[in-house]
């Protein structure tokens, strides 16, 4: 008997799982199939570079939903499986084992994978972090006295650096650009992170390239563009991520730094959607600027939005981007895209915490970046996010004065 057509989701990360449950929450009662490449029940990825590395207990995946909840909501999760082809005319997905799943709506939530460094391709002492199994293998190498090199001074690389130091390893970060966290984080905040890592004993080498990797039995010698050589027991490559688009491309969908979607997350095929790290989409809050975001909350929001639109909502994406990182005791949060601003206003919150408000030339608040101990900036970043969404043009003097509550500016 032919299978009933339903909603098929390729990718079982945060975005895909959120979409599956959102279909049920919005009243869809047809088949929902969630296809994932890993053997594990779908799990959260943010802890992989942090808690999974430093927890006292042997870590386990932090599942997004229990197996019982998938059963209760009648969501068919197919793990350890890869979708190999899509017949758009017949509206059918074929899996590597030959199974064929018909769909009425299809969602790509395939995410992104670590960008490879070709020079490191042949080294058995170089690795990347994407999966829980990757995290376990890296954690086992974070031992007191171990020599760890991290290539790339972005969020993941620096979170791993902090985790490695907490476990007693020696850490060197190699960054090709002039400073760490060049993408999306203002220099003033990056300096705070840089200083904190150096205080912890991390060596940070900026403006430094890599010439070669040479394996020995138990380590790898890394020759730098300066001529110096660093010997590492493990090198972790963290130089960004590449969207997983091969199947979309093979299916004839429009791509370009991600699967191209419209305001409703719809691809060039009206029955196929894409959401999360794998898609490039227009940001309404910035006049339709096309971006691809690698962020946990964006994956959640777009998964839910895609589900609603697959059911006919035609609801545009209007959220303000939000990112965060925890390193040592410091919490970093960014709402919006700071490169949209032409000037910044600083607000000091005490205990070393501060927020930078980024204003466009017309006075609109377009982003806010904050750092401080724990969650000290969280409330004000959330309020700033709401101001950004409203297109507010707050007074600069009020933004710089901690005594002026952001909530009052929101009310105004």
């Amino acid at each position: 008997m032919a299978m009933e057509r339903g909603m098929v989701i390729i990718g079982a990360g945060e975005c895909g799982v959120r979409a599956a449950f959102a279909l049920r929450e919005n009243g869809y009662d047809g088949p929902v199939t969630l296809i994932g490449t890993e053997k594990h029940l779908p799990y959260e990825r943010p802890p992989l570079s942090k808690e999974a590395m430093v927890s006292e207990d042997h870590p386990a995946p932090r599942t997004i939903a229990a197996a019982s909840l998938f059963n209760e909501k009648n969501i068919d999760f197919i793990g350890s499986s890869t979708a190999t082809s899509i017949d758009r005319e017949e509206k059918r997905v074929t899996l590597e084992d030959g199974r064929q799943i018909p769909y009425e709506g299809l969602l790509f939530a395939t995410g992104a994978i670590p960008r490879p460094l070709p020079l490191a391709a042949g080294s058995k002492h170089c690795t990347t972090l994407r999966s829980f199994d990757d995290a376990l293998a890296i954690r086992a190498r974070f031992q007191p006295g171990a020599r760890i090199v991290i290539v790339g001074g972005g969020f993941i690389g620096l979170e791993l650096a902090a985790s490695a130091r907490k476990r007693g390893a020696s850490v060197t970060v190699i960054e090709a650009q002039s400073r760490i966290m060049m993408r999306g984080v203002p220099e003033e905040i990056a300096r705070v992170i840089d200083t904190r890592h150096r205080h912890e004993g991390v060596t940070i080498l900026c403006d430094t390239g890599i010439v070669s990797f040479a394996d020995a039995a138990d380590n790898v010698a890394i020759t730098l563009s300066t001529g110096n050589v660093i010997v590492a027991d493990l090198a972790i490559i963290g130089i960004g991520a590449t969207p997983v688009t091969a199947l979309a491309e093979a299916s004839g969908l429009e791509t370009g730094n991600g699967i191209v979607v419209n305001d409703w997350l719809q691809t060039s095929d009206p029955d196929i959607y894409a959401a999360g790290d794998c898609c490039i989409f227009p940001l309404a809050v910035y006049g339709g600027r096309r971006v691809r975001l690698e962020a946990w909350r964006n994956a959640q929001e777009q998964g839910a939005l895609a589900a609603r639109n697959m059911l006919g909502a035609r609801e545009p994406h209007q959220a303000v981007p939000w990112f965060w990182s925890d390193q040592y005791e410091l919490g970093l949060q960014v709402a919006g895209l700071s490169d949209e601003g032409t000037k910044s206003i600083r607000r000091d919150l005490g205990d070393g915490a501060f927020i930078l408000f980024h204003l466009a030339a017309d006075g609109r608040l377009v982003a806010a970046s904050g750092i401080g101990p724990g969650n000290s900036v969280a409330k004000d970043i959330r309020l700033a996010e709401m101001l950004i969404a409203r297109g507010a043009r707050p007074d600069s003097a009020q933004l710089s004065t901690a005594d002026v509550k952001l909530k009052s500016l929101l009310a105004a």
Side-chain angles (χ1 to χ4, degrees), residues 9 17 20 26 109 120 134 154 167 175 217 252 254 282 344 359 369:
I9 301 166
V17 174
N26 285 276
D134 293 337
R167 292 182 65 83
E175 171 55 57
E254 183 183 355
S344 298
L359 304 178
S369 312

Side-chain angles (χ1 to χ4, degrees), residues 259-287:
I259 303 169
V260 176
V261 297
N262 62 16
D263 291 327
W264 306 292
L265 304 179
Q266 191 177 46
T267 70
S268 51
D269 183 322
D271 295 317
I272 302 179
Y273 291 73
D277 295 15
C278 71
C279 78
I280 182 165
F281 65 97
L283 264 177
V285 71
Y286 300 121

Side-chain angles (χ1 to χ4, degrees), residues 39-109:
K39 63 184 179 184
H40 305 288
L41 204 63
Y43 58 86
E44 303 276 8
R45 293 191 187 274
L48 298 185
S49 58
K50 300 181 280 287
E51 294 99 314
M53 293 291 165
V54 300
S55 64
E56 293 296 327
D57 300 325
H58 186 75
R62 186 192 295 174
T63 56
I64 300 171
S68 58
L69 195 55
F70 284 93
N71 293 332
E72 178 188 324
K73 298 298 181 182
N74 196 21
I75 295 168
D76 183 15
F77 168 60
I78 303 175
S80 300
S81 188
T82 301
T84 55
S85 68
I86 296 169
D87 185 329
R88 289 167 51 192
E89 186 173 327
E90 295 293 329
K91 298 175 70 171
R92 187 171 57 235
V93 175
T94 300
L95 304 184
E96 62 185 346
D97 63 5
R99 277 181 288 177
Q100 295 186 338
I101 305 172
Y103 66 84
E104 60 174 308
L106 174 64
L107 172 64
F108 277 92

Side-chain angles (χ1 to χ4, degrees), residues 19 108 114 155 170 178 263 330 356 381 386:
F108 277 92
F155 279 58
S170 168
S178 60
D263 291 327
L330 295 175
L356 299 176
I381 290 290
M386 296 167 73

Side-chain angles (χ1 to χ4, degrees), residues 124-136:
K124 64 183 180 181
H125 302 298
C126 293
T127 191
T128 57
L129 171 64
R130 184 176 192 253
S131 69
F132 177 74
D133 293 339
D134 293 337
L136 286 185

